[in-house]
C-alpha cells in the first residue's frame, strides 16, 4: 500500500466518522454516497486551518504508527535485523563484560536481542530512568548470562543499546541475533513505504482509525478523537483475541 492509497482510505474514514459541523464538512452531508475525495471534505474555518486535509493526514501518519507500535503485539509489525551480514554493527566491548552498539536512526523499539553466550534473549528494555539501570553498574546486581539486561540510552550521537553482560573472560563479543521495530518515516515526496507493504493487513483498519483520531484532534474535536481512538483499540483487541484462540 502506498502513502497515496493510505491517505485515500483515511479520507474515506474521516468523512464517515466526522459529523457535519464539527470542523470538517461533507459537501453533501445528506447523501450516503461518498463524493470524490478531492472535493468530499472542506474545512469550515479555512483561515484557521490553512492546509489541505491531505497534508494534515500525511503529517499524522508517523505519530499514528508510533502509537500503533505501542498498542500492538510485536509479531504483527514489520521488523529489521540488527547487525545483518551485509551491514554489521560495531560492538564496543567494556572490560567488565558489558558493552554497547549504536542503534540505527530508524530504531523505535527492541523486538528481540541475544548476545552469543547468553542463555536467553531479551525482549524488554530498560532506560536510564529505570530504577534497574543503576543496578547495571553493580557487578553483583547487574544482568548476566542467565538473566541478561538491555538498556536503550539516548546520547548526543543518537541512541545506543547497552547490554549486561558477558563474563569478563570473553575475548570477543558477538551478536547471536537481534531484531527491532523501525519507525515509519514519511517522505513527503515519496509515495512508497516498505513498512506499509510489510505490515499485517489486519492492522491497516486500526492504523487508519488512529490517523483519523489524530486529525480530528488537530481540528480540536477531542471528544470525537477519543471515541475514534477507542474504536481502534477495540479493533486491535479483536485481533489479539483471534490470535490467542488459534494457539
Amino acid at each position: 500500500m502506498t502513502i497515496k492509497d493510505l491517505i485515500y482510505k483515511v479520507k474515506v474514514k474521516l468523512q464517515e466518522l466526522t459529523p457535519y459541523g464539527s470542523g470538517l464538512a461533507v459537501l453533501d452531508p445528506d447523501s450516503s454516497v461518498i463524493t470524490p475525495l478531492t472535493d468530499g471534505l472542506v474545512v469550515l474555518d479555512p483561515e484557521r486551518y490553512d492546509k489541505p486535509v491531505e497534508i494534515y493526514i500525511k503529517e499524522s501518519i508517523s505519530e499514528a504508527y508510533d502509537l500503533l507500535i505501542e498498542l500492538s503485539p510485536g509479531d504483527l509489525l514489520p521488523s529489521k535485523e540488527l547487525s545483518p551480514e551485509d551491514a554489521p554493527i560495531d560492538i564496543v566491548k567494556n572490560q567488565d563484560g558489558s558493552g554497547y552498539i549504536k542503534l540505527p536512526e530508524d530504531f523505535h523499539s527492541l523486538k528481540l536481542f541475544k548476545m552469543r553466550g547468553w542463555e536467553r534473549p531479551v525482549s524488554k528494555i530498560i532506560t536510564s530512568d529505570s530504577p534497574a539501570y543503576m543496578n547495571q553498574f553493580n557487578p553483583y546486581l547487574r544482568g548476566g548470562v542467565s538473566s541478561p539486561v538491555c538498556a536503550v540510552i539516548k546520547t548526543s550521537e543518537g541512541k545506543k543499546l547497552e547490554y549486561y553482560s558477558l563474563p569478563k573472560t570473553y575475548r570477543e563479543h558477538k551478536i547471536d541475533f537481534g531484531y527491532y521495530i523501525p519507525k515509519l518515516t514519511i517522505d513527503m515526496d515519496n509515495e512508497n513505504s516498505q513498512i506499509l507493504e510489510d505490515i499485517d493487513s489486519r492492522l491497516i483498519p486500526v492504523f487508519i482509525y488512529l490517523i483519523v483520531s489524530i486529525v480530528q484532534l488537530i481540528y480540536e474535536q477531542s471528544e470525537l478523537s477519543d471515541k475514534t481512538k477507542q474504536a481502534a483499540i477495540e479493533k486491535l483487541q479483536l485481533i489479539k483475541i483471534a490470535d490467542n484462540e488459534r494457539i
Side-chain angles (χ1 to χ4, degrees):
M1 180 172 60
T2 65
I3 301 297
K4 185 177 181 180
D5 293 335
L6 179 61
I7 290 174
Y8 181 97
K9 292 176 183 293
V10 171
K11 285 189 71 175
V12 171
K13 189 57 63 177
L14 184 62
Q15 184 169 338
E16 175 187 328
L17 296 178
T18 308
Y20 181 72
S22 61
L24 293 174
V26 182
L27 289 184
D28 186 2
D30 296 325
S31 173
S32 60
V33 178
I34 295 176
T35 56
L37 289 177
T38 52
D39 302 317
L41 293 168
V42 293
V43 179
L44 293 180
D45 187 355
E47 292 185 0
R48 187 171 187 179
Y49 303 103
D50 57 353
K51 298 178 184 178
V53 173
E54 292 89 346
I55 299 299
Y56 289 118
I57 292 173
K58 200 166 188 177
E59 290 176 345
S60 301
I61 291 174
S62 294
E63 181 182 348
Y65 193 73
D66 286 348
L67 183 56
L68 183 68
I69 292 174
E70 294 174 13
L71 296 172
S72 304
D75 55 352
L76 296 180
L77 296 163
S79 61
K80 288 185 177 182
E81 185 179 2
L82 277 171
S83 197
E85 291 184 5
D86 59 343
I89 291 176
D90 290 333
I91 300 172
V92 178
K93 172 190 170 186
N94 297 324
Q95 293 183 348
D96 62 1
S98 65
Y100 72 87
I101 62 172
K102 185 178 179 181
L103 291 168
E105 290 185 4
D106 66 345
F107 177 91
H108 181 280
S109 52
L110 188 69
K111 185 172 184 179
L112 207 61
F113 183 81
K114 183 176 181 292
M115 294 296 292
R116 189 165 299 175
W118 284 357
E119 294 178 4
R120 64 176 184 84
V122 171
S123 59
K124 294 183 179 180
I125 60 173
I126 62 173
T127 66
S128 58
D129 297 329
S130 304
Y133 184 64
M134 295 306 297
N135 290 343
Q136 307 315 309
F137 296 93
N138 186 317
Y140 300 102
L141 299 177
R142 67 169 38 156
V145 170
S146 61
S147 55
V149 172
C150 287
V152 171
I153 306 299
K154 294 180 181 179
T155 72
S156 59
E157 299 178 349
K159 291 182 179 179
K160 65 179 182 179
L161 184 145
E162 297 178 351
Y163 59 86
Y164 301 91
S165 57
L166 288 166
K168 295 179 182 179
T169 54
Y170 275 43
R171 293 184 177 180
E172 284 190 289
H173 286 194
K174 292 185 177 181
I175 298 173
D176 217 351
F177 54 81
Y179 302 94
Y180 72 98
I181 297 172
K183 299 175 184 176
L184 174 58
T185 302
I186 300 300
D187 182 350
M188 292 299 183
D189 299 320
N190 187 354
E191 294 296 339
N192 296 315
S193 167
Q194 189 60 46
I195 289 178
L196 292 182
E197 293 293 330
D198 295 342
I199 191 173
D200 190 304
S201 60
R202 294 175 298 167
L203 288 180
I204 295 297
V206 180
F207 188 26
I208 288 171
Y209 268 68
L210 292 174
I211 299 171
V212 170
S213 173
I214 293 171
V215 175
Q216 288 171 331
L217 195 59
I218 290 172
Y219 287 103
E220 300 182 17
Q221 300 298 318
S222 57
E223 184 175 345
L224 196 60
S225 173
D226 289 342
K227 289 180 180 179
T228 303
K229 181 179 177 180
Q230 184 58 40
I233 293 172
E234 290 172 359
K235 288 179 178 295
L236 185 57
Q237 288 299 326
L238 291 176
I239 296 173
K240 292 178 181 178
I241 291 171
D243 284 349
N244 289 335
E245 288 177 348
R246 280 190 219 157
I247 299 175

